[in-house]
Amino acid sequence: MLFRSVNRTTRIDASQLVPGDVVSLAEGEKVPADIRLLRSANLRVDEAQLTGESLPISKQTDALTGNKEMYEQTNMLFQGSFVVSGTGTGVVVATGNQTEFGNLAMLSKRESTQSPVQRKIDTLITRVIAAVSAIALVAFGLSLLRGMDVLESLRFVMALAVSAVPESLPIAISVVLVLGMRRMAAKKALVHQMRAIETIGVITTIATDKTGTLTKNKLTVQQTWTPDEATENIDRIIGLVVNRAHAKSHDPLDIALNEYARKQSASPRHAPVHDLPFSQAHAMSATVWHHGRQFRLYVKGAPEAILAACRVSARTKKRAQQMLDEMTARGYRVIGLATGELDEAIDSFDQLGKLTFAGFVAVADVLRPEAPRAIRAALKAGVSVRMITGDHFETAYQIGRELDMVENRNEVFDCRDMAKPSDDQLDAIVTKTKVFSRVIPEQKYRLLTILKKHHITAMTGDGVNDVPALTNAHVGVAMGSGSHIAKDAGDIILLNDNFKTIIDAMREGRTIIANIRRMLFYLLSTNTGELITMIGALLIGIKTPLEPVQILWVNLVTDTSMVIPLGLEPGEKQAMNRPPERPDAPILSRQMIWRMVIVAATMSVIALAVYIFFEKHYGHNYAQTLAFISLVVSQWANAFNARSDSESKIGRAHV
């Protein structure tokens, strides 16, 4: 609930807040502006949308010194975050675009840019048009030298120029991309920006957020441990220690513990007598239950605080510390459990006596089961994967190990040190680093800027904190369950939140790029064949083997009917076993250009030979007709030839 304090307290709409207003917030409410806390009571806030930190942050009112990152500003509430427990009152210090949320929006301005593939095609077509213009001038001069009428010569040259330029290519590419979008949508990848469908096929690196992308963004119990002398079942304790002061808990930890207790059939049927919410001073929370004529206390909290509040032997304490080290080394968040006997219900931890240590429960944000396989598939395809997360260094390292992304801590970079190196120094760090921890949105943006110098990048994410990087990447991939602003910023939306779908999109993109190359090969080789045929006739001093209307007919009918089917070819089996090409590689390789030259020369030689032979025996009109037919048949044959660079595709079925 939102309140403004002006000699009285009243409820107002969040849009009416201005700096200086005093706002009170309670559990379950969304923070409407950037707020400096004045008072707080066991206040914990979920800032995952802004920082990527999957665990709630405890807030307090004490002043901080020095420059602090967003996740270190424990006396501030930021717009867009949620209160998961406790209450707080503070003064509004920023609204709208002046908030941290607004700063992200400023970073997220998208510039309208062409895809890398489109830039390469434009460069190629520009060169083709320049070459055709030069050849047209030569052809015009030759035709005049051969005694052709000026108007007839102009008509001939214009038809020649039209035939040489692949003007049907933009339409064909648009058709291919639209049909590709339909196929990708069937695989749960919704294309938001058409240019992304071709760019995803040439990406060389994927920068991925962790929370909600590689993981489920849902805490679950991973491991429990009890000391040897424990007498009470730990599953039952877990069920009883969940805070149930409200009908529905907003604390991810309580939700995780409650789900675990229900699965173990250990969830209580009744409510506790009293809840003690999380206390920052004591680093614990508790529930009070009836136990016969007395009461029983169930406590959870920081392991160190729980051990300090319990009667434990030296042997048990040593063993507990070993287990704590083992669990934290695996990247788990460890919660200590304890119990206590009470003569009467208490409402403050200041009344707490000595407790009995009950053990540890380890929770973690679990990996999506398909994520490791998808990352291996990306690496096999020659695409590097980098994890960018707001989590602590140790958590990021352990997740990276589970995903087989890193082998040692040297491959993890703590972005709290990111302000120190220059861009050139950071470039060297980024090259060898696979996992980045403690990343804030501005740093994600900077990392993507550096990656784009050497790579064609894709960025995945689901939160507000991912938006600047999503818009800065060549392809932004948003999760379907993510925030609306992230989905608006993404070029592709994964409807099933499955990292594997990115690999499916890459395969589809690579197929489309290969088909665009096939279309270019077919159009340029056939058009060049027509051009050489006509220029060759002028050079050797024979009549033109094709009339201008025949040239235009070939361009209109044969080219169009053949080029679109080439754009719908199914992908080759080895498409995902080859590394992507260099970002600066031309759209047509040197090998493909040589193939085009050979095909064009062969087509022109056949057409000229047919014309010369039949013109001697049957006259110009007869020879011209057969030359026209031979050129059309050669283009049919070239359509089959264009279906693959290395395999015979005759009779290959479309799927």
Side-chain angles (χ1 to χ4, degrees), residues 252-480:
L253 176 60
D254 280 329
I255 294 171
L257 296 179
N258 192 42
E259 283 195 5
Y260 175 80
R262 281 195 288 105
K263 289 179 181 178
Q264 303 300 321
S265 301
S267 185
R269 298 181 181 179
H270 307 290
V273 176
H274 184 58
D275 269 6
L276 276 70
F278 182 81
S279 167
Q280 295 182 38
H282 298 86
M284 60 182 70
S285 64
T287 57
V288 180
W289 295 79
H290 271 297
H291 188 64
R293 293 185 177 181
Q294 294 182 310
F295 297 89
R296 193 163 181 82
L297 186 70
Y298 292 90
V299 185
K300 68 177 184 294
E304 296 82 3
I306 292 293
L307 285 170
C310 293
R311 302 184 191 90
V312 289
S313 64
R315 176 177 176 277
T316 300
K317 191 170 185 177
K318 182 179 179 181
R319 179 62 180 141
Q321 189 60 51
Q322 290 175 344
M323 285 305 302
L324 178 60
D325 292 341
E326 289 179 17
M327 288 176 170
T328 53
R330 297 180 67 181
Y332 295 153
R333 181 190 180 190
V334 183
I335 308 299
L337 302 175
T339 62
E341 300 291 339
L342 300 172
D343 294 328
E344 59 181 15
I346 63 173
D347 56 11
S348 170
F349 285 105
D350 294 331
Q351 303 168 263
L352 198 64
K354 278 296 181 181
L355 303 174
T356 301
F357 181 57
F360 293 139
V361 56
V363 297
D365 185 5
V366 294
L367 290 176
R368 293 182 180 275
E370 67 279 356
R373 294 193 301 272
I375 288 177
R376 287 195 294 270
L379 296 175
K380 186 178 180 181
V383 178
S384 60
V385 181
R386 290 171 168 82
M387 185 175 76
I388 301 176
T389 177
D391 280 327
H392 292 278
F393 181 94
E394 194 62 36
T395 302
Y397 169 62
Q398 295 299 332
I399 293 291
R401 282 191 61 187
E402 289 185 52
L403 292 167
D404 293 328
M405 295 177 65
V406 297
E407 296 181 357
N408 56 67
R409 287 175 172 79
N410 293 332
E411 297 175 278
V412 183
F413 180 67
D414 191 332
C415 288
R416 285 178 292 186
D417 301 325
M418 193 168 167
K420 299 174 184 177
S422 64
D423 281 356
D424 290 338
Q425 292 171 325
L426 192 59
D427 197 340
I429 293 172
V430 169
T431 300
K432 66 179 183 180
T433 303
K434 297 296 183 289
V435 174
F436 299 87
S437 68
R438 274 307 189 191
V439 188
I440 61 174
E442 291 84 354
Q443 291 170 342
K444 286 187 180 182
Y445 186 90
R446 186 182 177 193
L447 287 173
L448 262 295
T449 301
I450 290 172
L451 283 171
K452 285 171 66 177
K453 292 180 181 179
H454 311 290
H455 295 276
I456 296 176
T457 59
M459 172 70 197
T460 72
D462 66 338
V464 177
N465 64 310
D466 300 316
V467 171
L470 286 172
T471 55
N472 194 27
H474 289 106
V475 183
V477 183
M479 300 296 131

Side-chain angles (χ1 to χ4, degrees), residues 610-623:
V610 167
Y611 176 82
I612 292 171
F613 178 80
F614 286 98
E615 195 271 339
K616 288 182 179 179
H617 297 85
Y618 300 99
H620 171 70
N621 292 337
Y622 192 90

Side-chain angles (χ1 to χ4, degrees), residues 92-107:
V92 174
V93 297
T95 60
N97 289 336
Q98 304 305 313
T99 63
E100 291 292 339
F101 192 101
N103 291 336
L104 294 186
M106 297 299 292
L107 283 176

